[in-house]
Amino acid sequence: MIPYLPLKEINAQYSAAIGEAIDRIQKEGWYILGRECTAFEQEYAQYIGTRHCIGCGNGYDALWLIFSALKQLGRLSDGDKVLVPANTFIASALAVSNNNLRVHFVEPSDTSYVAGEKEILAAIDEQTKAVLLVHLYGQNSFSDNLARECRRRGIIIVEDNAQAHGALYGGRRTGSLGDAAAHSFYPGKNLGALGDAGAITTDDDTLARAIKEIHNYGSSTKYIHSRIGVNSRLDEIQAAVLRIKLRTLDRENEARRSVARALIEGIDNPLVAAPRIDDYTQHVFHVFALMSPRRDALKEHLAARGIETQIHYPIPLHRQECYKEYAAQHLPTAQRLAQEELSLPCHPLLAPADIKHITECVNSFKG
Ligand SMILES: *Cc1c(COP(=O)(O)O)cnc(C)c1O
């Protein structure tokens, strides 16, 4: 059996260091907003290349906190239109909706599967106040051209970097490209905690200060509350785990890239389109997404041969019941991807024999 993602084995590589850290934190007796959190925030800001990093409870909260702060600062208002790709995890859109902002779903590219410059520019209109760039599957969706056009029109760029820790645009990391970025450290992400965790990165001092208050009950001094805040903090144990795993993130991403390259080189089946990658050095392969018009049969074919796969994502957001007011929107690429996408195992511990078995089984699929 080749599991989609053997999290237990991946984390076992760090178990000695994690055990020591948990023991140390337990003995120190300071469990929330302490030294580990501050150290992680500094190290992650340096890694991403931003002035600020604020840890928080999870990736959804990171997104929600950014939009909430933008509203509290008066940069966005109730009902403002925010562009969101139709093919992403629902958290991206919910963070917008739950701030009383208006989601507008955008078609992804039918070759890279992200909504980038071309798709976003085609969707921007007079009402657009912000865009949420989702670096889907581990690949950048930002461009300088897009940023220039957004700046000219006063449109805010927020990045959803949940799937792309370590990915690059030119020499710059995703998460440092827009006005602010949300990161999820959900256990299955490239940089994964042992539970829920997230962070916001930004170069904007005012925005960082507002988020730092909102995520801790609207307070920067105990019992003084300057804003309507929430409780979404990164706890000490998760921060310590993330500090340990951050040290090897680049190496793990490099291993994912070589696995992805071997899969792409091995796949040869007219019923299957392997991902088309412009530049391997920039992609971190959170998801290895192939497309097949016979996706469901291919999934069964692989399962019968001991290969576990996943689908990212089976229903586009405009066809979810919770967004039924968008159901009539015509987004054929998002719809096609939902029907054809299949995610193969692609992680740092995938052995050459497993890669060979996976490509042979993909190639033996006859529909
Ligand atoms: C995982 C994910 C999130 C949400 O992160 P959580 O930590 O699970 O809240 C948001 N956006 C995208 C694109 C994701 O993949």
Side-chain angles (χ1 to χ4, degrees):
M1 168 70 183
I2 300 178
Y4 180 71
L5 184 67
L7 266 184
K8 205 165 69 176
E9 284 75 15
I10 287 172
N11 285 324
Q13 304 173 96
Y14 308 98
S15 71
I18 290 173
E20 275 167 36
I22 293 176
D23 198 44
R24 188 177 69 238
I25 291 162
Q26 197 226 312
K27 287 180 176 140
E28 267 172 18
W30 191 284
Y31 306 122
I32 288 171
L33 297 185
R35 283 216 292 266
E36 295 291 338
C37 180
T38 303
F40 172 71
E41 287 173 341
Q42 283 167 358
E43 289 159 11
Y44 196 64
Q46 186 176 15
Y47 177 81
I48 294 294
T50 51
R51 270 210 298 285
H52 306 282
C53 170
I54 302 112
C56 67
N58 54 65
Y60 165 79
D61 282 359
L63 287 162
W64 184 89
L65 284 162
I66 292 170
F67 286 107
S68 174
L70 288 168
K71 284 187 72 187
Q72 292 207 24
L73 293 171
R75 299 188 200 171
L76 289 176
S77 309
D78 276 345
D80 277 354
K81 180 170 175 175
V82 182
L83 306 189
V84 179
N87 63 324
T88 172
F89 182 58
I90 194 154
S92 313
L94 290 181
V96 174
S97 301
N98 284 332
N99 270 301
N100 245 332
L101 299 164
R102 188 159 50 93
V103 169
H104 179 85
F105 290 119
V106 177
E107 277 274 72
S109 149
D110 64 359
T111 51
S112 72
Y113 317 135
V114 300
E117 178 181 330
K118 183 161 156 266
E119 297 75 29
I120 299 287
L121 287 182
I124 283 178
D125 64 11
E126 289 302 313
Q127 273 85 51
T128 307
K129 296 290 188 279
V131 304
L132 180 57
L133 293 180
V134 180
H135 304 311
L136 194 75
Y137 303 154
Q139 108 196 278
N140 167 57
S141 57
F142 173 92
S143 79
D144 285 325
N145 241 345
L146 175 62
R148 214 169 300 121
E149 187 58 20
C150 286
R151 206 173 309 121
R152 195 178 70 74
R153 291 169 166 261
I155 295 172
I156 296 164
I157 296 182
V158 177
E159 299 173 75
D160 181 339
N161 201 44
Q163 304 193 357
H165 319 128
L168 292 164
Y169 168 65
R172 294 180 281 160
R173 299 258 186 224
T174 59
S176 71
L177 304 168
D179 294 284
H183 308 255
S184 163
F185 307 118
Y186 180 81
K189 302 289 157 88
N190 286 29
L191 178 60
L194 299 185
D196 275 320
I200 296 103
T201 52
T202 181
D203 277 331
D204 183 326
D205 300 343
T206 309
L207 188 64
R209 204 173 316 119
I211 291 170
K212 221 171 163 65
E213 291 177 0
I214 297 168
H215 95 303
N216 187 27
Y217 290 119
S219 169
S220 50
T221 309
K222 201 168 185 183
Y223 301 134
I224 310 286
H225 304 277
S226 47
R227 298 181 176 282
I228 298 287
V230 297
N231 175 3
S232 178
R233 301 176 296 219
L234 175 62
D235 77 68
E236 287 290 280
I237 289 179
Q238 299 308 340
V241 170
L242 293 169
R243 290 183 70 199
I244 291 162
K245 294 181 72 178
L246 179 59
R247 287 184 227 135
T248 51
L249 176 61
D250 283 341
R251 204 171 68 206
E252 297 247 315
N253 283 342
E254 193 54 53
R256 282 174 184 269
R257 277 192 280 272
S258 28
V259 167
R261 194 188 290 267
L263 288 170
I264 288 172
E265 282 168 3
I267 291 172
D268 180 16
N269 183 331
L271 289 170
V272 176
R276 271 194 255 161
I277 307 303
D278 295 335
D279 184 349
Y280 276 90
T281 65
Q282 315 269 308
H283 199 311
V284 293
F285 291 99
H286 174 61
V287 169
F288 184 93
L290 52 74
M291 299 292 154
S292 173
R294 301 275 300 130
R295 190 265 314 277
D296 294 338
L298 175 60
K299 187 171 176 38
E300 272 177 41
H301 173 87
L302 296 176
R305 286 154 186 80
I307 300 163
E308 189 189 7
T309 56
Q310 289 194 8
I311 295 170
H312 297 96
Y313 297 90
I315 305 174
L317 298 184
H318 69 296
R319 292 292 161 82
Q320 293 286 355
E321 195 183 340
C322 65
Y323 281 123
K324 52 181 172 296
E325 67 270 34
Y326 296 90
Q329 225 187 314
H330 184 58
L331 300 171
T333 305
Q335 196 68 49
R336 179 178 75 84
L337 299 187
Q339 280 156 9
E340 298 194 351
E341 197 276 344
L342 189 68
S343 311
L344 296 183
C346 179
H347 58 79
L349 298 183
L350 202 65
D354 295 336
I355 297 172
K356 187 159 175 280
H357 181 61
I358 292 169
T359 53
E360 280 170 2
C361 292
V362 169
N363 294 344
S364 69
F365 177 66
K366 298 286 188 298

